[in-house]
Amino acid sequence: MNQHSSLNRTIIQKLKTITGKVLVSDADRISYAYDATNLHYLPDAIVFPENQEQVSNILSLAQEAEFPVVPRGAGSGLTGGSLPVKGGLLVVLTRMNRIISIDMDNLVADVEPGVVTGIFHKRVQSMGLFYPPDPSSSAYSTLGGNVAECAGGPSAVKYGVTRDYVLGLTFVIPGGDIVQTGVRTAKGVVGYDLTRLLTGSEGTLGIITQMTLRLLPHPKCVQTLVVFYASMHKAAENVSKIIRKGLIPKTIEYLDHAAMACMPLDFPGGIPDEAKSMLIIEMDGAPGQVHTDIQDVIALVTESQAISVTKAENSLQAQSIWQARKAISPALYRYAPDKINEDIVVPRSLIPDFVDKVDELRHATGLTMVTFGHAGDGNIHFTVMLDKNDPVAKKKADTVIESIFDYTLALGGTLSGEHGIGITKSGYLYKELNPGEQYLMKQIKKAFDPKGILNPGKIFPEP
Amino acid sequence: MTKELTILSKNYSGTCIRCGACMSVCPVYQVSLEETDVARGKMALIEWSQSHPEFSQSSRFRQLISRCLLCGACAQSCPNQVATHACIQQMRQGLSKSHKEKIMLSSLKTLSKKSSSSQFFRTSGSIFQRLMSKKLPETSGMHLRFPIASISHRQFLPKISVKSFTEAYSIQHQEQPSKRIVYFTGCGANYFFVETAAALVKLLERKNIHPFVPKDQVCCGLPFFASGDQTNAIALARQNIDIIDQLSPDIVLTTCASCGAHIHQWADLFKDDPEYHCRAQKIARCQKDAMMFLLESFDRNDLIALKKSCEGPPKENVWYHHPCHQRFGKTQLPLPKKLFTPFSHANIHYSDSQCCGNGGKFQLSHFDLSMKIFDQRMEAFSNQKITHVLTPCTGCQLQFAEGMLRYDMDVTVEHPLCWLF
Ligand SMILES: Cc1cc2nc3c(=O)[nH]c(=O)nc-3n(C[C@H](O)[C@H](O)[C@H](O)COP(=O)(O)OP(=O)(O)OC[C@H]3O[C@@H](n4cnc5c(N)ncnc54)[C@H](O)[C@@H]3O)c2cc1C
């Protein structure tokens, strides 16, 4: 266990006067050393602030005593954003979990960062409203973590990502100053857009303490289709075909055959034996419109040699389809003990090329590769399952990732659609950002955090 | 296609990868919001303890491992199929052994020497609550729930029946029953809530069914199992298996969700004993919750005939609480809605998404936490004038009885069978 704590007894004492409770025991540190990357970095201490003032006091103390501070929501991140790679203080925001207000007239909500995404979804839905960003982890991720990572989800093809729903933020910067940005209105162009800058900043610029989120009226009707194909290429091709037709589904999820094998055996309607890939397509809106749209989609996929098309009979069936989809990512461990997971994005029309490329690499290396994800917006979760203790496999996988990234960028894509850079992707940052861009970003970071105490070691590779 | 992929020589699922899905279902985590309380935190601690013996012996570890209801919600929601609650039970077993906390109860020792069964029910000079010790056999897991020291926390103490149900029950067997039915009462219906057992027997009479209610049945053993006391859990299971198996039942009815669920764990206790393992499995296959039996064998008219006033405008506001032991694991059951549809005089609110926080001995060792979980549960009750809480589980029944006292609410807490009859 790490004995060289950056937090001495005096600091711990001061933290206690700020938040009341400070966890420092081995047991507590061990249970806050991971996130969903399953990597392991021990924090020196853990606090649970309950309001903005406490966050401000923590960051003022941290600035003065120069110790690292790492914000953490639910710790469901997939790139290590909430891991205390330099030790220091973990600031867990799960206790700031009040839904402060939901304004039905202006369709905005004020929330604290620790609100669980799924709980917020349910609450607004019970009022006939809709908050679209829906990462697969929504049952446990926090809204603060969603904003900090600019989380996306299946509905991004029609509704966009978290960024499109953040109207304003309150956050605390190192030193303890409280900054309020943004608006409560649909428009606003006064000054630089700090709200957008903070969104997706991975906890490196400030700790978000309150958010004003945009809501929509809840769509009256949703229908879900499951379509199977005998080839991966065909399914991928259908994605842009559907959209070219002028149909904008709420969701088009793509799953290759390795991903499908991770779904529960009781998948509604079953899985045809010859299926090699599938799409989950969802249309929402006014009932009449949804009905004709669904018919159009069915006609289109049937024409394109889909081997089976099933419509969810009711919301319960749709729910179990989504449950099966959400279970895939963690269930991939049936293939191998380690996972390398990338969430690249390519232009929608080039998904078939990407899928073919993966197939080519799969054959060339013999590695287990899985592709699935939010194909509607071109965001494909590309995953290699391997045993990292096998040096040959590890080396092969590293090369594969390199070529996947190069290929993605060559197609005009990007390295991360929604999971962020954190620590797992910082080594590849140079591939997408030129030195000029990186320099500007680092200057921005300095303006917010001159001493580099807030979530150090993230996004930018260590020199 | 999927076949070649699912039938891999090696399957790596079963290890916790810290995705966090358990956070969304763990009743303890949801009130404490601390990672040490949720399954993935506990898995991290267990992994750590394995390479750090000093930690594995620490009181902190013991305490953290005890902060779990063993409800099984995490295992059910785990996309990687980690048997989280089984790991925690195993840890408790190890801790229990290393602390020499448990020696075999004396009456179980005599039991294993094949003494007569009447002796088995005689009270021993125990240190337990006087009243309890008079009427409850030493072997009842209820002693773990109601030891002297904890009584001060609680407001509700169940009345102990003058005569246990099994003692009072006299067998009137049919000549040639078409199905051999055994009723395993569990301690709840045998000593505290005998009206539940009585209701079941009367209901069955309507169908001319007279179950076997073996007098020598003992506690299912769950309270011992849950606290890691394998020795007594095994001894109790063995006694029950002997007694039930010898009756060659077609159906073993239970009225307590927890006993019902634990019957399915008996086989796991006999991993090294093929004979008992096999017999335990056989019994588990026959286990059936009484509510489900009713659903299958009573039609609408049968049900209406049970209650005098079952029509008219709703007068009763009834809350149906679905116990964790019927929501997760091998003994998952649907809500028995059909049983209640004939009764328009009652508004039935079904609730199948939250734990009551009892968790057997958990409520005792973590009373405040248990009540916090209950408080969260009660939020759903808000501003509804509830007249009845129905739940087919002894633990849940005890918890709600306690809760209603604390909330100063005049509500009848009972087994659904009692309400039906
Ligand atoms: C099974 C699974 C499926 C997933 N599916 C998706 C998906 O479909 N789409 C998607 O986008 N992501 C997905 N994720 C990734 C993850 O859930 C998201 O990144 C989520 O937004 C993280 O939220 P969190 O509360 O867990 O944040 P954490 O993991 O705790 O933190 C994430 C980052 O946010 C920072 N942070 C947290 N709170 C604050 C705050 N209040 N102020 C400032 N910074 C803060 C942290 O420092 C860290 O850098 C998935 C994860 C899993 C395990």
Side-chain angles (χ1 to χ4, degrees):
Chain A
M1 186 137 303
N2 174 12
Q3 300 296 347
H4 309 285
S5 171
S6 54
L7 305 177
N8 59 35
R9 220 179 274 159
T10 336
I11 293 175
I12 298 288
Q13 208 46 51
K14 283 186 180 159
L15 284 169
K16 266 189 193 150
T17 57
I18 297 172
T19 58
K21 184 170 179 180
V22 184
L23 304 182
V24 291
S25 76
D26 286 0
D28 290 304
R29 295 167 60 208
I30 289 159
S31 334
Y32 279 98
Y34 52 74
D35 68 358
T37 55
N38 204 2
L39 296 169
H40 187 94
Y41 293 92
L42 284 167
D44 295 309
I46 302 115
V47 290
F48 304 88
E50 281 171 6
N51 53 50
Q52 178 170 288
E53 196 191 329
Q54 291 182 0
V55 176
S56 165
N57 289 336
I58 292 166
L59 281 179
S60 138
L61 176 66
Q63 177 94 319
E64 184 192 303
E66 292 192 32
F67 58 81
V69 171
V70 182
R72 178 181 168 106
S76 75
L78 291 171
T79 50
S82 65
L83 298 177
V85 291
K86 310 249 162 172
L89 182 69
L90 203 58
V91 177
V92 184
L93 293 137
T94 48
R95 297 220 176 141
M96 290 181 64
N97 60 355
R98 285 180 311 145
I99 297 174
I100 299 163
S101 67
I102 296 175
D103 177 346
M104 308 265 292
D105 295 330
N106 296 301
L107 295 181
V108 293
D110 282 304
V111 298
E112 288 187 330
V115 174
V116 172
T117 316
I119 292 178
F120 185 61
H121 280 154
K122 275 195 200 129
R123 175 72 72 81
V124 298
Q125 192 175 350
S126 74
M127 304 170 78
L129 302 175
F130 182 37
Y131 176 71
D134 56 347
S136 301
S137 51
S138 62
Y140 40 98
S141 73
T142 65
L143 289 171
N146 291 169
V147 171
E149 295 285 9
C150 187
S155 70
V157 49
K158 179 168 179 181
Y159 290 105
V161 292
T162 302
R163 181 194 293 129
D164 302 305
Y165 296 87
V166 185
L167 291 174
L169 292 174
T170 308
F171 56 86
V172 184
I173 55 172
D177 287 344
I178 297 168
V179 186
Q180 206 176 347
T181 70
V183 291
R184 300 183 57 81
T185 51
K187 299 171 161 183
V189 288
V190 180
Y192 295 135
D193 192 345
L194 293 180
T195 310
R196 282 212 160 198
L197 179 60
L198 257 283
T199 307
S201 63
E202 304 189 28
T204 61
L205 300 180
I207 299 185
I208 300 162
T209 50
Q210 195 172 318
M211 310 178 280
T212 306
L213 302 175
R214 186 164 78 95
L215 303 170
L216 299 177
H218 205 277
K220 295 256 170 347
C221 170
V222 187
Q223 288 205 340
T224 313
L225 278 187
V226 175
V227 190
F228 290 100
Y229 298 85
S231 96
M232 298 197 251
H233 190 91
K234 265 269 146 4
E237 244 176 24
N238 263 207
V239 175
S240 50
K241 239 185 183 173
I242 291 170
I243 291 173
R244 210 179 310 134
K245 260 252 155 131
L247 299 162
I248 303 284
K250 175 188 180 193
T251 295
I252 312 181
E253 291 287 291
Y254 164 82
L255 282 76
D256 74 3
H257 68 311
M260 282 158 57
C262 293
M263 297 195 307
L265 295 172
D266 59 354
F267 186 78
I271 303 171
D273 274 350
E274 67 277 26
K276 280 258 186 290
S277 67
M278 70 184 266
L279 296 180
I280 305 173
I281 304 168
E282 207 160 66
M283 307 294 296
D284 70 350
Q289 187 67 48
V290 171
H291 186 75
T292 46
D293 284 356
I294 280 280
Q295 293 313 321
D296 288 352
V297 174
I298 293 177
L300 188 147
V301 297
T302 318
E303 238 168 64
S304 320
Q305 296 160 23
I307 52 176
S308 101
V309 189
T310 333
K311 196 168 85 189
E313 311 248 310
N314 46 44
S315 63
L316 222 69
Q317 238 181 44
Q319 224 175 351
S320 41
I321 292 169
W322 282 110
Q323 252 161 21
R325 161 64 186 88
K326 289 188 179 191
I328 290 173
S329 165
L332 291 170
Y333 285 90
R334 70 184 54 188
Y335 292 128
D338 299 297
K339 168 158 103 172
I340 303 177
N341 172 36
E342 305 300 345
D343 74 319
I344 60 95
V345 192
V346 296
R348 192 158 45 216
S349 59
L350 299 175
I351 300 174
D353 302 66
F354 183 81
V355 166
D356 291 345
K357 176 78 179 176
V358 173
D359 228 14
E360 176 196 315
L361 288 167
R362 192 185 343 241
H363 283 119
T365 60
L367 289 173
T368 306
M369 296 178 198
V370 191
T371 48
F372 64 101
H374 321 311
D377 54 36
N379 190 187
I380 300 285
H381 297 315
F382 168 76
T383 305
V384 182
M385 297 307 300
L386 76 164
D387 182 349
K388 282 189 176 162
N389 290 325
D390 172 353
V392 182
K394 175 80 177 68
K395 197 150 174 239
K396 270 194 208 165
D398 288 344
T399 329
V400 165
I401 298 293
E402 289 267 346
S403 33
I404 281 291
F405 281 163
D406 290 338
Y407 191 69
T408 300
L409 293 172
L411 292 177
T414 176
L415 300 187
S416 175
E418 51 182 34
H419 297 164
I421 297 299
I423 54 171
T424 59
K425 291 184 197 168
S426 57
Y428 301 105
L429 199 73
Y430 74 95
K431 283 188 187 280
E432 187 164 337
L433 300 183
N434 65 40
E437 277 174 295
Q438 285 192 50
Y439 174 77
L440 260 182
M441 288 186 187
K442 285 181 185 165
Q443 291 303 107
I444 292 173
K445 163 79 176 164
K446 258 203 192 118
F448 279 79
D449 180 18
K451 290 186 172 172
I453 55 156
L454 190 57
N455 211 357
K458 304 294 162 68
I459 305 179
F460 306 104
E462 297 283 285
Chain B
M1 62 95 228
T2 31
K3 270 174 222 129
E4 83 233 32
L5 284 159
T6 29
I7 310 169
L8 286 171
S9 54
K10 217 166 169 182
N11 189 332
Y12 295 91
S13 52
T15 29
C16 172
I17 46 119
R18 318 275 189 262
C19 71
C22 42
M23 285 188 284
S24 65
V25 294
C26 175
V28 182
Y29 174 77
Q30 275 163 20
V31 302
S32 79
L33 295 176
E34 285 184 26
E35 287 270 350
T36 44
D37 282 333
V38 77
R40 73 167 173 176
K42 289 211 161 55
M43 299 313 287
L45 291 169
I46 289 171
E47 281 164 31
W48 176 263
S49 76
Q50 252 131 44
S51 52
H52 294 78
E54 69 300 339
F55 178 63
S56 70
Q57 298 300 320
S58 67
S59 60
R60 183 76 206 285
F61 183 57
R62 161 186 292 270
Q63 194 245 356
L64 289 172
I65 290 299
S66 75
R67 286 170 68 97
C68 166
L69 292 149
L70 290 183
C71 69
C74 50
Q76 177 101 352
S77 77
C78 178
N80 217 21
Q81 286 142 32
V82 183
T84 39
H85 63 317
C87 293
I88 290 163
Q89 195 278 334
Q90 234 171 46
M91 281 298 122
R92 289 188 183 172
Q93 207 178 306
L95 288 167
S96 160
K97 256 188 219 147
S98 62
H99 277 248
K100 294 202 183 69
E101 192 183 52
K102 296 285 175 275
I103 36 166
M104 199 192 272
L105 296 167
S106 53
S107 53
L108 283 175
K109 271 188 202 150
T110 41
L111 193 91
S112 51
K113 281 184 205 135
K114 287 262 178 285
S115 63
S116 86
S117 54
S118 61
Q119 191 185 351
F120 178 62
F121 276 96
R122 211 171 297 143
T123 55
S124 64
S126 79
I127 52 155
F128 298 120
Q129 185 190 3
R130 260 186 141 183
L131 187 69
M132 300 270 287
S133 65
K134 268 201 201 130
K135 294 185 182 152
L136 265 189
E138 185 203 28
T139 51
S140 171
M142 288 296 157
H143 283 300
L144 295 181
R145 293 188 175 186
F146 296 98
I148 274 182
S150 80
I151 287 168
S152 55
H153 290 306
R154 274 208 192 86
Q155 297 180 22
F156 177 78
L157 283 175
K159 266 208 202 91
I160 300 170
S161 173
V162 179
K163 243 187 179 173
S164 75
F165 182 80
T166 47
E167 266 180 299
Y169 181 75
S170 59
I171 319 156
Q172 316 151 301
H173 284 301
Q174 292 162 279
E175 291 299 291
Q176 203 97 82
S178 59
K179 277 211 160 118
R180 295 176 64 83
I181 296 183
V182 168
Y183 174 32
F184 183 79
T185 63
C187 297
N190 200 15
Y191 305 110
F192 301 146
F193 307 120
V194 285
E195 62 280 7
T196 303
L200 175 67
V201 168
K202 278 195 207 146
L203 277 164
L204 295 176
E205 262 169 23
R206 296 262 170 138
K207 290 275 163 193
N208 214 11
I209 297 169
H210 303 280
F212 295 92
V213 187
K215 288 199 193 311
D216 295 352
Q217 57 177 291
V218 286
C219 171
C220 69
L222 176 59
F224 299 91
F225 178 79
S227 56
D229 177 359
Q230 207 77 346
T231 316
N232 287 304
I234 290 175
L236 288 163
R238 198 182 289 274
Q239 160 89 351
N240 283 322
I241 291 168
D242 283 341
I243 281 163
I244 296 172
D245 193 24
Q246 132 206 328
L247 293 167
S248 329
D250 298 303
I251 296 175
V252 176
L253 287 180
T254 51
T255 43
C256 169
S258 298
C259 301
H262 189 57
I263 287 179
H264 291 259
Q265 302 193 89
W266 283 350
D268 300 339
L269 293 168
F270 298 103
K271 289 216 174 83
D272 307 325
D273 186 340
E275 186 210 324
Y276 273 88
H277 182 80
C278 204
R279 291 167 75 193
Q281 277 183 326
K282 204 167 83 193
I283 293 171
R285 279 196 295 274
C286 302
Q287 185 272 338
K288 189 179 250 359
D289 185 79
M291 302 288 289
M292 286 299 121
F293 183 77
L294 227 62
L295 259 180
E296 289 163 13
S297 43
F298 278 62
D299 63 21
R300 194 184 158 83
N301 290 336
D302 293 333
L303 289 168
I304 289 178
L306 295 177
K307 260 182 133 52
K308 279 187 210 97
S309 59
C310 58
E311 280 175 6
K315 286 187 291 287
E316 291 179 6
N317 250 329
V318 179
W319 194 280
Y320 188 95
H321 171 82
H322 206 34
C324 291
H325 279 132
Q326 292 184 349
R327 294 200 287 135
F328 310 118
K330 290 182 206 152
T331 45
Q332 268 179 84
L333 293 175
L335 281 164
K337 289 190 184 174
K338 265 208 191 120
L339 286 180
F340 298 97
T341 43
F343 307 111
S344 62
H345 75 291
N347 264 329
I348 317 263
H349 311 268
Y350 295 96
S351 160
D352 61 350
S353 60
Q354 268 177 302
C355 172
C356 69
N358 181 278
K361 208 186 154 196
F362 177 88
Q363 196 239 32
L364 180 71
S365 31
H366 304 289
F367 188 73
D368 291 344
L369 195 54
S370 165
M371 283 299 141
K372 269 194 200 142
I373 298 171
F374 184 77
D375 289 344
Q376 270 206 348
R377 211 232 147 306
M378 284 296 286
E379 278 169 22
F381 266 69
S382 65
N383 61 36
Q384 289 185 39
K385 181 89 190 73
I386 299 294
T387 53
H388 293 74
V389 173
L390 308 182
T391 183
C393 170
T394 302
C396 303
Q397 232 178 303
L398 287 167
Q399 183 82 340
F400 273 98
E402 172 76 26
M404 292 302 111
L405 278 180
R406 293 165 67 85
Y407 279 74
D408 202 17
M409 283 168 74
D410 186 17
V411 171
T412 311
V413 180
E414 59 189 359
H415 194 285
L417 290 179
C418 300
W419 186 84
L420 282 171
F421 204 75

